[in-house]
Amino acid sequence: MPIVSPNYRPPLFFRNGHFSTIYSGLVRSIEGIAQERERLELPDGDFMDLDWSSSPTPTHKVVVLIHGLEGNAQRAYITGSAKKFNENGYDACAVNLRSCSGETNRLYRSYHSGATEDLEAVVQHILKNKKYTEVYLKGFSLGGNMTLKYLGEQRSIPSEIRGAIAVSVPCSLHSSLKQLLLPKNILYAIRFKKNLVAKLKAKQQRFPDKISDDDIKAVVTLKDFDDVYTSRAHGFKDALDYYTQCSCLQFLPNIKVPVLLINARNDSFLGPECYPEKVATQHSKLYLEMPDYGGHVGFFGQRNTYYNEKRAIKFLNELR
């Protein structure tokens, strides 16, 4: 499909990528949404917590929301999306990936950008009760990569999945990692690293034979974390092997359902390979939208409804 022309013109301050990213991550809050938690027991003995919110009227449509690195289902970008979907006749299932719901997961492994088996478990769980005939996916950042990889893998996608939206997606994980290691992103990298190391220390308490003090000391950068933990815990050779195998970019050509990918051009987390223009122009189902503004998951909108939230509803309505 042709590249989608964006129609996003935020106020002046929010045209700065860093300002929109920080405001949206640390300041924005959402009111007027009630979530009910359900624990999903996974086939390997672990669990994920799902936070449900409902349309005010009965519906056969549900959207699965997947957060980004060190996010959770209470982040404003998730609850804001859930609220907008609820207002438009969709139930919302907001996923807390393993270890992200406030409780450490049971196993040595955790979550990562390519863990599509966990998304598959959520989808199958939702379909079991036969309530929903239409399932949609919306993923942010890491969750967006997971969403697109899931849809493009050589698997049988349930017919109930009708479409997806992916926002601020590091389509090439290595390209994104190189951006995060640059001085312009040092504050974000420090914050991510602090949270990840804290989780690694908690994991060490349960698995002292697998995580040593030296391992923890070796985590100086985000790449070190993926070398020390992500790759070892999830069956990759090292960080680079993890990035290579799990980047969604290679899976995009295989996607069979309509997908809207929104990546802002001023997203400081994304490298050049994260804007798959060539793939989109040759693809009948991939709609690529690249607004000049928006930062990383920072598409500020009036009345606390973000551009990506309104755009998601419009995209799905156009599928009908």
Side-chain angles (χ1 to χ4, degrees):
M1 297 296 294
I3 306 300
V4 178
S5 297
N7 184 27
Y8 179 52
R9 296 292 183 270
L12 184 61
F13 284 142
F14 290 93
R15 296 181 186 183
N16 180 288
H18 292 297
F19 184 85
S20 61
T21 300
I22 294 169
Y23 175 90
S24 301
L26 299 181
V27 179
R28 187 191 185 199
S29 62
I30 303 296
E31 297 179 354
I33 180 171
Q35 292 177 312
E36 183 176 345
R37 178 157 292 186
E38 176 189 17
R39 176 151 293 185
L40 173 61
E41 295 291 337
L42 298 170
D44 61 7
D46 214 341
F47 70 92
M48 290 191 297
D49 289 325
L50 312 178
D51 290 332
W52 288 85
S53 59
S54 301
S55 164
T57 57
T59 182
H60 62 278
K61 300 179 294 184
V62 63
V63 60
V64 180
L65 302 170
I66 309 102
H67 61 76
L69 180 65
E70 286 306 281
N72 56 55
Q74 282 69 56
R75 292 293 175 90
Y77 62 86
I78 295 290
T79 54
S81 288
K83 183 178 181 181
K84 187 66 174 177
F85 275 112
N86 294 160
E87 292 171 349
N88 284 271
Y90 297 76
D91 288 347
C93 174
V95 178
N96 295 278
L97 297 173
R98 302 188 197 217
S99 82
C100 293
S101 63
E103 183 178 340
T104 303
N105 66 305
R106 298 171 187 145
L107 304 183
Y108 173 53
R109 65 155 297 173
S110 183
Y111 74 101
H112 64 83
S113 297
T116 52
E117 67 276 11
D118 289 349
L119 178 52
E120 170 73 0
V122 174
V123 169
Q124 292 303 324
H125 173 69
I126 288 172
L127 293 177
K128 273 183 182 179
N129 65 19
K130 308 294 185 182
K131 178 180 179 180
Y132 301 107
T133 59
E134 297 181 26
V135 179
Y136 301 92
L137 310 176
K138 187 178 183 184
F140 298 83
S141 194
L142 176 150
N145 184 84
M146 183 186 294
T147 297
L148 298 179
K149 179 175 179 283
Y150 169 79
L151 293 173
E153 290 175 328
Q154 298 302 310
R155 68 169 74 241
S156 177
I157 299 298
S159 60
E160 291 87 352
I161 295 182
R162 304 295 180 84
I165 303 95
V167 181
S168 301
V169 181
C171 299
S172 166
L173 297 175
H174 192 204
S175 176
S176 179
L177 182 278
K178 287 188 285 187
Q179 293 298 311
L180 282 168
L181 295 182
L182 294 177
K184 66 177 180 178
N185 286 320
I186 189 170
L187 294 180
Y188 307 114
I190 289 173
R191 184 179 178 87
F192 282 135
K193 178 194 160 187
K194 179 181 178 181
N195 291 339
L196 290 167
V197 168
K199 284 189 174 180
L200 190 60
K201 290 179 178 178
K203 189 72 70 176
Q204 183 190 35
Q205 297 300 312
R206 295 188 176 209
F207 302 96
D209 58 323
K210 294 184 177 181
I211 303 170
S212 67
D213 290 339
D214 288 340
D215 287 333
I216 294 174
K217 291 176 183 177
V219 179
V220 178
T221 70
L222 293 175
K223 179 180 178 296
D224 296 331
F225 178 84
D226 290 331
D227 275 320
V228 166
Y229 175 72
T230 309
S231 58
R232 296 179 189 174
H234 302 98
F236 304 104
K237 295 176 184 177
D238 52 26
L240 292 179
D241 183 47
Y242 160 53
Y243 304 146
T244 299
Q245 291 198 46
C246 292
S247 293
C248 71
L249 184 61
Q250 62 199 302
F251 299 100
L252 297 181
N254 302 325
I255 291 176
K256 301 296 193 298
V257 300
V259 168
L260 173 64
L261 170 57
I262 306 176
N263 276 0
R265 291 190 181 275
N266 70 344
D267 188 333
S268 68
F269 291 19
L270 305 183
E273 296 88 344
C274 297
Y275 300 88
E277 297 182 60
K278 183 177 179 180
V279 176
T281 57
Q282 299 173 353
H283 203 299
S284 63
K285 299 292 186 181
L286 176 61
Y287 298 78
L288 175 61
E289 186 170 337
M290 298 174 290
D292 290 333
Y293 313 111
H296 193 72
V297 196
F299 296 92
F300 176 85
Q302 299 296 331
R303 299 179 181 176
N304 205 21
T305 299
Y306 270 35
Y307 174 76
N308 72 84
E309 295 159 6
K310 294 184 290 185
R311 188 68 183 86
I313 298 297
K314 183 175 185 293
F315 178 71
L316 296 188
N317 285 342
E318 290 171 348
L319 299 181
R320 301 185 179 282

Coordinates of all heavy atoms in Angstrom, one line a residue, residues 24 60 71 220-221 244 254 266 272 274 305 311 319:
S24 N 4.2 12.3 28.1 CA 3.2 11.2 28.0 C 3.6 10.0 28.9 O 2.7 9.3 29.4 CB 3.2 10.8 26.5 OG 2.9 11.8 25.7
H60 N -19.2 -8.1 20.8 CA -18.5 -9.3 20.4 C -17.1 -8.9 19.9 O -16.5 -9.8 19.3 CB -19.3 -9.9 19.2 CG -19.4 -9.0 18.0 ND1 -20.4 -8.1 17.9 CD2 -18.7 -9.0 16.9 CE1 -20.2 -7.4 16.7 NE2 -19.2 -8.0 16.1
G71 N 6.9 -1.6 30.9 CA 5.6 -1.0 31.1 C 4.7 -2.0 31.8 O 5.1 -3.0 32.4
V220 N 26.3 -2.8 32.3 CA 26.6 -1.4 32.3 C 25.7 -0.7 31.3 O 25.3 0.4 31.5 CB 28.1 -1.2 31.9 CG1 28.4 0.3 31.7 CG2 29.0 -1.9 32.9
T221 N 25.3 -1.4 30.2 CA 24.4 -0.8 29.2 C 23.2 -1.8 29.0 O 23.2 -2.9 29.5 CB 25.1 -0.7 27.8 OG1 25.4 -2.0 27.3 CG2 26.4 0.1 28.0
T244 N 18.5 -10.2 16.2 CA 18.4 -10.8 14.9 C 17.1 -11.6 14.7 O 16.3 -11.5 13.8 CB 19.6 -11.6 14.4 OG1 20.8 -10.7 14.5 CG2 19.4 -12.1 13.0
N254 N 5.0 -11.3 5.6 CA 4.1 -12.5 5.7 C 2.8 -12.1 6.4 O 1.9 -13.0 6.5 CB 4.8 -13.6 6.5 CG 6.1 -14.0 6.0 OD1 6.3 -14.1 4.7 ND2 7.1 -14.3 6.8
N266 N 10.3 11.8 14.6 CA 11.1 12.3 15.6 C 11.2 11.4 16.9 O 11.5 11.9 18.0 CB 10.7 13.7 16.0 CG 9.4 13.8 16.8 OD1 8.6 12.8 16.8 ND2 9.1 14.9 17.4
P272 N 17.0 4.1 11.4 CA 16.5 4.2 10.1 C 15.8 2.9 9.7 O 14.8 2.9 8.9 CB 17.7 4.4 9.2 CG 18.7 5.0 10.1 CD 18.5 4.5 11.5
C274 N 13.9 1.1 11.3 CA 12.6 1.0 11.9 C 11.4 1.6 11.2 O 10.3 1.6 11.6 CB 12.7 1.6 13.4 SG 13.8 0.7 14.4
T305 N -7.2 12.7 24.7 CA -7.3 11.6 23.8 C -6.2 11.7 22.8 O -6.1 12.7 22.0 CB -8.7 11.6 23.1 OG1 -9.7 11.5 24.0 CG2 -8.8 10.4 22.1
R311 N -6.8 7.5 15.9 CA -6.4 6.9 14.6 C -6.7 5.4 14.6 O -7.1 4.8 13.5 CB -4.9 7.1 14.4 CG -4.4 6.8 13.0 CD -5.0 7.7 11.9 NE -4.5 7.2 10.6 CZ -5.1 6.3 9.9 NH1 -6.2 5.7 10.3 NH2 -4.6 5.9 8.7
L319 N -12.1 -0.8 8.2 CA -12.0 -2.2 7.7 C -13.4 -2.8 7.5 O -13.5 -3.9 6.9 CB -11.3 -3.0 8.8 CG -9.8 -2.6 9.1 CD1 -9.2 -3.5 10.2 CD2 -9.0 -2.6 7.8

